[in-house]
Amino acid sequence: MNDHLLSDDQVLDALLRAAAPAALADDGFVTRTMAAVDAANAALPARRRTAAPSPLAIARAIAAEQRRHDVQARSWRWAMAGVAVGYLLMLVSVAASPSGLHLGATSPSQFVPLAAMTAIGALWVAWRTLRSV
Amino acid sequence: MVHDESERVAAELAGWLARARTGDRHAFARLVRSHQSRVRLQLRRLTRGDAALADDLAQETFVQAWLHLNEFRGDARLATWLHRIALTRFLQHVRRPQLPQEWCEPEDGDEPGHDPRAAEGLSRDVERALQALSEIQRLAVVHCFHLDLSHAEAAQVLGLPLGTLKSHLDRAKTRLRELLGAWQPESAA
């Protein structure tokens, strides 16, 4: 049964393939198409190429980068100096206080000025760092 | 022997394709020459026999192929890719995003532009039998049997799921078997 159906199917397939239209002759189609291809090529915008940078432009870019680096380094040094001065001021103010300098921590409130100064210093460093980026 | 010949042709096509990708227009002209007939036949079928329009669309198909040759990944046959571009160009021409839904409906009367009297014998009878099919069934038959695409390739070209294409093809063949009964040998009929 299956063989019969398969054979029937194959016969129909062969009929349909045999009835395929004949191949079309070129008749100048390729020539016309290639002319259209050439026209399409001509209509394409010229490819933009990035020009190689001149030595002068390279030198200017390096100098600008060096300047940015110097500014950043100077900002960092000022930031560190600010933190050091802040600590120094704190120590001086504590030493000059009427009760004198106690190294032993007797109450947590003694840490408030230290924490405040540290916070201010940290914020200042952060602000300078962010500005220099 | 036939296998060797088809391998030789495939290797030759691959060589032309590689050269065309580097901008060699002569190699591309060879590719156009080797594929022009099947692309024009496909478009004549899609345009319902309007040869002038089919040739214009075929020309645009090859220009598109030339401009996008580097996008051809090579995971399908070049012929399949060209047929797909041709179908897309046709759909752009008729301003449809996909095959028209009404093409799935059976049609009455002869397809305009196809004169069955122009064909002889078997071809004439098959052409007449094809008129009894819906457009989508006819396209499925034409792509699989006249353009010699596999089912998967035809489904890819027509933008249909493989199962859908096979079911269109099955229905078409059932109808064609009835209509072409006289051409079938006694043992098979």
Side-chain angles (χ1 to χ4, degrees):
Chain A
M1 178 70 179
N2 279 343
D3 285 351
H4 179 77
L5 286 175
L6 187 66
S7 157
D8 190 20
D9 212 37
Q10 283 174 337
V11 167
L12 181 63
D13 288 2
L15 275 179
L16 293 173
R17 286 206 169 87
L24 295 175
D26 181 348
D27 290 336
F29 177 82
V30 177
T31 308
R32 288 195 303 277
T33 301
M34 291 315 292
V37 163
D38 291 340
N41 268 346
L44 280 179
R47 285 180 191 163
R48 289 179 191 160
R49 291 175 190 273
T50 311
S54 67
L56 189 61
I58 294 172
R60 278 180 182 153
I62 291 174
E65 182 59 33
Q66 185 66 46
R67 274 198 298 277
R68 276 194 294 275
H69 178 265
D70 289 347
V71 167
Q72 203 168 10
R74 198 160 52 243
S75 300
W76 180 249
R77 283 197 296 273
W78 272 108
M80 289 300 104
V83 172
V85 167
Y87 268 98
L88 201 61
L89 277 173
M90 182 194 69
L91 288 175
V92 168
S93 61
V94 171
S97 66
S99 58
L101 179 61
H102 284 280
L103 291 178
T106 53
S107 78
S109 62
Q110 280 186 317
F111 290 99
V112 172
L114 177 63
M117 291 302 289
T118 306
I120 290 167
L123 285 173
W124 194 62
V125 167
W127 180 66
R128 293 302 302 254
T129 306
L130 282 173
R131 266 194 65 191
S132 68
V133 172
Chain B
M1 193 67 178
V2 171
H3 187 62
D4 287 350
E5 177 64 12
S6 65
E7 272 187 2
R8 189 189 62 77
V9 170
E12 214 170 59
L13 280 178
W16 292 337
L17 179 60
R19 282 169 52 196
R21 278 181 198 273
T22 65
D24 184 339
R25 68 183 290 290
H26 294 293
F28 186 71
R30 292 288 200 94
L31 291 176
V32 175
R33 189 165 294 120
S34 62
H35 289 84
Q36 57 92 14
S37 175
R38 57 187 307 148
V39 171
R40 288 165 71 203
L41 282 173
Q42 178 201 21
L43 284 162
R44 280 188 189 191
R45 176 62 66 178
L46 286 165
T47 57
R48 303 184 171 202
D50 187 340
L53 174 61
D55 279 8
D56 284 350
L57 292 175
Q59 206 171 76
E60 289 170 21
T61 297
F62 284 110
V63 170
Q64 285 294 310
W66 168 256
L67 295 176
H68 298 94
L69 206 53
N70 285 324
E71 291 169 23
F72 174 59
R73 296 188 301 272
D75 46 9
R77 276 199 299 158
L78 181 66
T80 311
W81 188 62
L82 289 172
H83 283 310
R84 182 65 202 163
I85 297 176
L87 182 79
T88 306
R89 285 300 303 129
F90 168 75
L91 292 174
Q92 283 170 351
H93 176 75
V94 296
R95 297 173 191 277
R96 300 286 189 110
Q98 57 195 3
L99 292 176
Q101 186 57 40
E102 64 268 22
W103 283 15
C104 296
E105 307 301 326
E107 290 176 1
D108 294 328
D110 284 353
E111 182 185 1
H114 271 277
D115 183 1
R117 286 168 300 178
E120 293 289 325
L122 172 66
S123 297
R124 183 193 55 206
D125 287 354
V126 169
E127 190 58 50
R128 275 187 180 152
L130 286 174
Q131 310 308 317
L133 305 179
S134 70
E135 185 71 40
I136 196 76
Q137 288 172 355
R138 195 155 45 225
L139 285 178
V141 170
V142 165
H143 280 76
C144 290
F145 296 103
H146 293 181
L147 299 176
D148 206 24
L149 297 174
S150 68
H151 290 180
E153 287 173 331
Q156 196 183 340
V157 169
L158 295 172
L160 298 171
L162 182 57
T164 307
L165 176 105
K166 281 183 176 173
S167 89
H168 284 311
L169 210 51
D170 280 346
R171 279 199 288 272
K173 285 170 79 174
T174 304
R175 184 87 179 98
L176 289 173
R177 205 171 282 121
E178 293 166 13
L179 294 167
L180 296 171
W183 284 94
Q184 315 234 7
E186 291 294 323
S187 58

